[in-house]
Amino acid sequence: MKKRRLWFFIIGSLLVSAATHFFFYQQWLDKHWMIGPNDGLSQIATFKKFIYENYKSGNFFYAWDFGLGGGFYSQLAYYFSTSLVFLVSGAVIFILDSFQWVDPSNVEFWAQSNLFISILRLSLILFITSYTFRYMKIQAFPAFTGAVIYGCSVMYMRHVVYWEFFADAFIWLPLVVLGLEKLIREGKQGWLIFTMSAMLISNFYFSYIQLVFLILYVLGRWIIPLTDNELSRIKQFKLLVSSGLISFCISAVSFIPAVYGFFNNYRPPYDREIPLFDFIDNILFASPYIVLPPVFMLLIFSFPLYRNRLFRFFAVFSFVLLIFHLSPLAASAFNGFSAPQYRFEYLLSFTIGGCVAIGLQQLNKIAVRFICVASFISLCIYLLSIDYFDFNIKIPKRAATEFSAVMITVFALFIIFIILMVLHVYFQKKILLVIIQSFVILWSIVSVNTAAKYGITDNGGLEKVTYNYLRSDQYNSAEQRNLIEQVKKQEPDPLSRIDWMAPTRNNTPIVQNFNGTSLYSSIINKTLLWFYWRDLKIDTGRETVSRYGTLGNRANLHALLQTTYWMRKKSQEANVPYGFTKFANSKQYVVYKNDFSLPFIRTGKHIYSEEQLQSASVLEREHAMLSGVVFAETAGQKLPLPKEKNVIKHARIQGVGANYKKNQLLVAHDKGGIDIIPESVQKNTKDFYVGFSIKNVNGDKFALKVNNYRTTRKAAHSIYKTNINDLVIRVPADDIISIRLPKGEYELKNLSLYEEDYKELHEAVKSAAPSPSFTWEKNKLTIDYNNQTSEKWMALPIPYEKGWKLWINGKEQAIEKANYAFIGFKLHNGKNHIKMVYHPPYFFPALTLTIIGIFAWVLLHLRSKRKKAGR
């Protein structure tokens, strides 16, 4: 590439990228950050902060403060732990941090930096795409125009704002195309191997989408050859296979643990019917995913352009992807055959950009009459689109006004493009083509800024993501932080946990820098999810997938899981767990401390099995964990466990503003439901465990209150529903247990009621030996324990997951799943020098593959150089 043209692409990319972010830069000056209020603040900025701090400290694999503990390298590979874009930006920020020019220790920094990282990323995307189109023999200005159509798209901005790591896929797509073209035309594999390796390392999810694209692209290239001297299909196939294998090997150290993390997650299957086709949006005027440029509409119906093989290839590909966009089934397939998600439309933006680039370059080769025909067909499609959405989709009044303004603007641009194209075709003046391309670039910039204002900010809740919001009680207030710091300063145990999170913000512990009991991530150790949903039925205050949080105010679980403190708003003090006494308070918040803590390391002789407790109540399971340990499988004698009495049969149940009969509850008034009145309550009873299965007959979402405890349930059609309707709610013992619901019809069954006197908790705390001496550094735990009383087992409140290895007295030993979701193992008599180390699953075999892959790539490169030198 000539030096002058190189600078044109570099400077042009930076200027256009900056202009594309103009609206968000204005917002940034007003302290409104360019990040979504939901996943953006809860996950994106939070995980960036978390990973950066761990990597900076030299910790790359495991963190005690990742929820209840977990291997974040594997579980956060979906986000940033292996993202090359994040690693590069993190390295730059580390340098700035070293000079104390920035402060990455708070989430707000990462929320603010999103804008500037996005500007640089988009500049890179525009440059790479322009270079790719240039390689395909498209002239410089048309190539750059096509790159702008691709990069400056609604989908790019949507990804950056809501799920920023998705935007990295825009970098890899043109590089994949460049690598494929070099392989097909020149037989060179280097670019393709580099790109596929980088792509697989960065994000396995978008690697899957781009693998589908790669297959479609290659098939399309075999059907429509673009040059005369291409390799034979057999040679192409061989090179593609070898490139894929080498790329897989190079990426293995990242890709394999990431994929394991994905399969070790649990998400309820999407059980709704997925239609083949559905018109979900208006892609001609206002779509949150893709808006077809007016110039594309004119070019795609300019039929003489199809004589050009490159235009024909991109046009056919665009039609195929347009059909996919109209198909929820295709959207499901691109999302791993789960719920339909429209995240693949950036592929369509790329093929449209290719169409526009080659179409503008070939525009002087068609007659005026074909422009007129294309104009007429496009106009008819626009009018039919307006007619369809006007009569079939109800638009709110405000949105209808905005839609009308957009419609007028599109038609105005449509007319301008027609006039300019006719003039160019008729007079054959290059300046007119320059003006057309400039208008296309301007249209892209203006349309994205408009979408940023109306489609993303106003309708996406970004207006509340402000400097003040990030310091509010809803996210991370100074009052909350000060109280947390007060607790941390007075607590000598660095592994102690605090049960606290800001409303709906399950990653509050990461934001506020403490060991918590909650986590929100698309990839979570499924053992912990089942611990909450099925094994112990711990209500999290809000039904939703990909999250767990709090311990249901259940004292037994707080003791078992090192949760020493409980923090809430003062208005929620009635829900404080048993055995907690007031420790500290502020104006709005209060902290209670646990008087019945158990040591981090527990040993004992009593063993129970999950099979033995399969029909037991959750209270009986808690008691088994307190008096011994529950293993998934046990050999030998299983100790009997005292049964807890279900007293629901001895309680009176009566409707309050509702009718309850044969498991059907008809609530006639809001805050109606049932009262459960125990016949008699034992003198020592401190808490009730109330169990039931509930769902709304009509599938509506609803809030549920049991005395002072409140939780919410998803609508039946929600893709975030757990499909688990069994609940166990702990409430302090009282004369009446009140279950209250909004007006509606419910199925309420399997009622149970247990009384808890905490006898087992008192005994467990009283009999617990002090924790043996241990050291925990990053991913290594060392324990020295002298087993003089012939204890059979040791249990740790560390979540069970693949990757941990155990050695006792130098000999490797199996780690077992204990207490449903945690680590346990058998002890030896006498001295036990215990060493546990965590590495991501299959890390060392994967690292070996990576070394082999790099070696194979180097050999391939050297062989290629020798062949070139021998010619």
Side-chain angles (χ1 to χ4, degrees), residues 548-598:
Y548 60 79
T550 81
L551 293 172
N553 307 325
R554 285 152 64 171
N556 296 329
L557 297 178
H558 281 81
L560 286 161
L561 299 181
Q562 300 296 291
T563 310
T564 313
Y565 299 92
W566 185 88
M567 174 174 160
R568 292 294 188 278
K569 274 197 167 185
K570 288 182 176 179
S571 60
Q572 300 175 13
E573 280 188 273
N575 292 317
V576 63
Y578 169 79
F580 280 67
T581 54
K582 190 173 288 188
F583 176 78
N585 68 87
S586 63
K587 183 178 179 181
Q588 297 186 76
Y589 300 93
V590 61
V591 176
Y592 283 79
K593 185 174 182 180
N594 195 354
D595 294 331
F596 295 96
S597 295
L598 289 169

Side-chain angles (χ1 to χ4, degrees), residues 706-727:
V706 181
N707 289 11
N708 291 305
Y709 184 84
R710 184 180 186 274
T711 187
T712 60
R713 309 296 294 170
K714 294 288 185 187
H717 63 268
S718 173
I719 63 174
Y720 303 111
K721 183 173 174 58
T722 62
N723 294 327
I724 294 173
N725 300 315
D726 294 332
L727 300 177

Side-chain angles (χ1 to χ4, degrees), residues 536-542 551-554 575 618 622 676 687-694 704-713 725-733 737-739 752-756 758:
L536 274 297
K537 299 178 182 177
I538 307 167
D539 186 74
T540 60
R542 179 187 180 207
L551 293 172
N553 307 325
R554 285 152 64 171
N575 292 317
V618 296
E622 288 182 5
I676 302 174
D687 284 341
F688 287 134
Y689 278 47
V690 188
F692 49 86
S693 175
I694 188 168
L704 163 73
K705 283 194 72 175
V706 181
N707 289 11
N708 291 305
Y709 184 84
R710 184 180 186 274
T711 187
T712 60
R713 309 296 294 170
N725 300 315
D726 294 332
L727 300 177
V728 172
I729 308 295
R730 166 266 173 192
V731 293
I737 300 155
S738 301
I739 299 176
S752 64
L753 181 63
Y754 291 90
E755 298 178 32
E756 171 63 304
Y758 292 106

